[in-house]
Amino acid sequence: MHELGITQNIVAIVIEHAQGAKVQRVVLEIGKLSAILADAIQFCFDICTRNTVLAGAILEIIEIPGLAKCRQCGAEVYLDKPFGICKCGSVQLDLITGEELKIKEIEIEEVCV
Amino acid sequence: MCVTCGCSDDTEGKIINMETGEVEHNQYHHTHTLADGTVITHTHSHEPHTEASQIHAKIHGTTISLEQDILAKNNLIAAQNRGWFKGRNVLALNLMSSPGAGKTTLLTRTINDLKHQLPINVIEGDQETANDAQKIKETGCQVVQINTGTGCHLDASMIDRGLQQLNPPLNSVVMIENVGNLVCPALFDLGEQAKVVILSVTEGEDKPIKYPHIFRASQIMILTKIDLLPYVQFDVQKCIEYAQQVNPQIQIFQVSATTGTGLDNWYKWLSQKVTSFDRLVSA
């Protein structure tokens, strides 16, 4: 359950950037091949954000599909696991997308004075 | 709540005139000074958003674009560890497997066999107990036990702390025995030169395609307990095909740490790695 530790990291990074402001929304980008379960992050998020400026914040997760380029023929291959086979028969695939794990943006509440 | 600017909803500032019945919604006048000195005054209401509130959202910077890698902190410490190893000419390997694949047996045998050629020290990771560290200590090498408690993998900062304790000598090898787990250790860079995945013939031959991340992240796969092949159903050829399907570059050794079969190839790779690393550093 590495998602718990990763969610704690996410919360710590967001707290640092929010500088005391209340956080309303957190947008993550998680690649489909990153070995991170979006559902597990969602589950841990509610627990990890308790009693922090993130309490009650909406978590949005953008799933980035897995895409690789074949070294043999140069074709682009969509993957749902971190390996696969190209139409040309080659398994020499270089991943282009799908391994992302980042906080894309956060939305904080500003009190207007 | 307003999603554009994040102000709280309009029920708070609603004023009702009891004489006329007129309802006045939350309205604020704002003055903002932009970075270039421009002063903008606008009315902020929670009527459907107008251009003014768009400006408002922009000024208040309510959306912060981070694009921050969640593992960046771990990766930074891993990079520091890598520099630490390089500076001392220490070859560090990250040994990963499921529990019971035979990491500790392989490790103790390797240390004993290479004792007089290669100084090997160990960072041992387990959730609980110092049992494995004790077994390794009996070989006479230095060992530091890291207990992760609930943690399912070692991370770079644990290795950083472990290294302070271990203080390996110059020109030596540090074997990091990760927590027995085929999932999480693949994600965490420790600053090692190579990841080595260990699979035993008592597990399924389809492990590489079941747990592809770890096999993809590893340079080496060591298939252990091959002395048990006559007693178990395990298709070695199929296992190798699966591993190469996931990672065409993976190098595979078939060994038995009990009988010693195949260990020479592993030792040769290890010695070559130390020598090439040596050259790399002195170059």
Side-chain angles (χ1 to χ4, degrees):
Chain A
M1 186 67 166
H2 49 285
E3 281 86 356
L4 179 61
I6 284 168
T7 311
Q8 283 166 337
N9 270 353
I10 294 169
V11 171
I13 293 168
V14 173
I15 287 174
E16 194 182 313
H17 282 84
Q19 296 182 326
K22 190 153 169 48
V23 177
Q24 290 173 324
R25 200 167 62 102
V26 175
V27 184
L28 306 180
E29 266 184 7
I30 299 182
K32 265 199 128 105
L33 313 179
S34 66
I36 310 287
L37 269 181
D39 283 354
I41 297 274
Q42 198 89 46
F43 178 80
C44 296
F45 189 76
D46 293 337
I47 298 156
C48 294
T49 53
R50 261 181 218 161
N51 305 318
T52 72
V53 291
L54 281 84
I58 296 164
L59 178 66
E60 278 178 29
I61 299 177
I62 302 168
E63 274 201 338
I64 311 284
L67 183 66
K69 193 179 174 124
C70 174
R71 263 193 223 177
Q72 209 73 38
C73 71
E76 290 194 343
V77 186
Y78 277 95
L79 299 175
D80 55 4
K81 44 188 188 300
F83 65 98
I85 185 155
C86 178
K87 274 184 188 153
C88 77
S90 168
V91 291
Q92 303 264 2
L93 302 174
D94 293 322
L95 294 183
I96 303 168
T97 63
E99 294 186 296
E100 298 78 2
L101 178 57
K102 60 165 79 150
I103 303 169
K104 192 167 170 55
E105 59 182 43
I106 63 173
E107 191 180 298
I108 58 170
E109 187 177 275
E110 286 279 341
V111 181
C112 310
V113 202
Chain B
M1 179 190 64
C2 158
V3 287
T4 310
C5 72
C7 292
S8 41
D9 64 26
D10 55 6
T11 51
E12 238 177 61
K14 190 163 72 176
I15 298 168
I16 305 166
N17 185 324
M18 296 307 285
E19 296 294 318
T20 63
E22 201 183 312
V23 179
E24 189 195 340
H25 283 279
N26 187 7
Q27 286 197 336
Y28 296 107
H29 294 283
H30 294 272
T31 300
H32 297 286
T33 308
L34 300 185
D36 63 0
T38 314
V39 178
I40 295 182
T41 303
H42 66 262
T43 305
H44 185 236
S45 82
H46 280 265
E47 296 298 299
H49 269 90
T50 58
E51 201 183 325
S53 61
Q54 300 288 331
I55 296 167
H56 177 271
K58 228 183 244 170
I59 293 161
H60 284 285
T62 46
T63 299
I64 303 172
S65 180
L66 282 182
E67 295 289 339
Q68 184 157 357
D69 198 323
I70 294 158
L71 294 176
K73 195 175 163 194
N74 181 75
N75 294 345
L76 179 70
I77 300 169
Q80 286 164 354
N81 290 346
R82 198 169 282 115
W84 199 95
F85 289 129
K86 197 174 171 184
R88 286 163 182 77
N89 197 27
V90 169
L91 174 76
L93 299 179
N94 180 1
L95 309 184
M96 310 172 300
S97 80
S98 47
K103 285 191 298 299
T104 311
T105 308
L106 177 71
L107 203 48
T108 47
R109 172 96 195 214
T110 304
I111 295 165
N112 278 324
D113 287 353
L114 300 182
K115 220 178 247 179
H116 304 292
Q117 305 154 48
L118 275 181
I120 300 175
N121 296 307
V122 177
I123 293 180
E124 178 64 44
D126 283 296
Q127 284 201 317
E128 298 293 343
T129 85
N131 291 357
D132 284 358
Q134 198 53 47
K135 281 183 208 159
I136 288 162
K137 197 167 177 282
E138 283 161 18
T139 65
C141 82
Q142 290 187 77
V143 54
V144 167
Q145 173 78 49
I146 298 175
N147 285 132
T148 56
T150 56
C152 43
H153 58 268
L154 294 174
D155 65 31
S157 80
M158 293 175 191
I159 299 305
D160 176 28
R161 287 183 359 243
L163 285 173
Q164 308 302 324
Q165 295 292 323
L166 190 68
N167 196 21
L170 301 174
N171 314 308
S172 63
V173 176
V174 170
M175 296 283 197
I176 302 165
E177 188 178 339
N178 220 312
V179 178
N181 177 356
L182 279 183
V183 185
C184 319
L187 284 176
F188 293 83
D189 183 6
L190 306 179
E192 74 281 65
Q193 271 83 45
K195 286 185 170 71
V196 177
V197 63
I198 293 149
L199 178 64
S200 64
V201 301
T202 55
E203 302 169 67
E205 66 254 333
D206 55 354
K207 280 282 186 298
I209 52 168
K210 277 186 172 170
Y211 299 90
H213 292 275
I214 209 150
F215 288 88
R216 198 178 164 88
S218 299
Q219 278 187 23
I220 301 289
M221 174 176 118
I222 302 181
L223 188 61
T224 56
K225 306 188 189 179
I226 58 162
D227 54 304
L228 297 180
L229 278 172
Y231 313 105
V232 293
Q233 282 201 323
F234 188 93
D235 189 332
V236 174
Q237 205 42 48
K238 205 134 210 181
C239 179
I240 292 171
E241 278 168 27
Y242 285 141
Q244 286 171 340
Q245 191 183 336
V246 171
N247 181 352
Q249 277 75 42
I250 202 161
Q251 207 173 333
I252 299 166
F253 300 115
Q254 300 179 42
V255 309
S256 163
T258 312
T259 64
T261 314
L263 286 173
D264 283 352
N265 292 332
W266 156 239
Y267 295 159
K268 207 185 282 171
W269 179 85
L270 201 54
S271 312
Q272 274 170 0
K273 194 85 186 164
V274 170
T275 326
S276 65
F277 185 60
D278 222 343
R279 271 206 306 272
L280 198 77
V281 172
S282 53

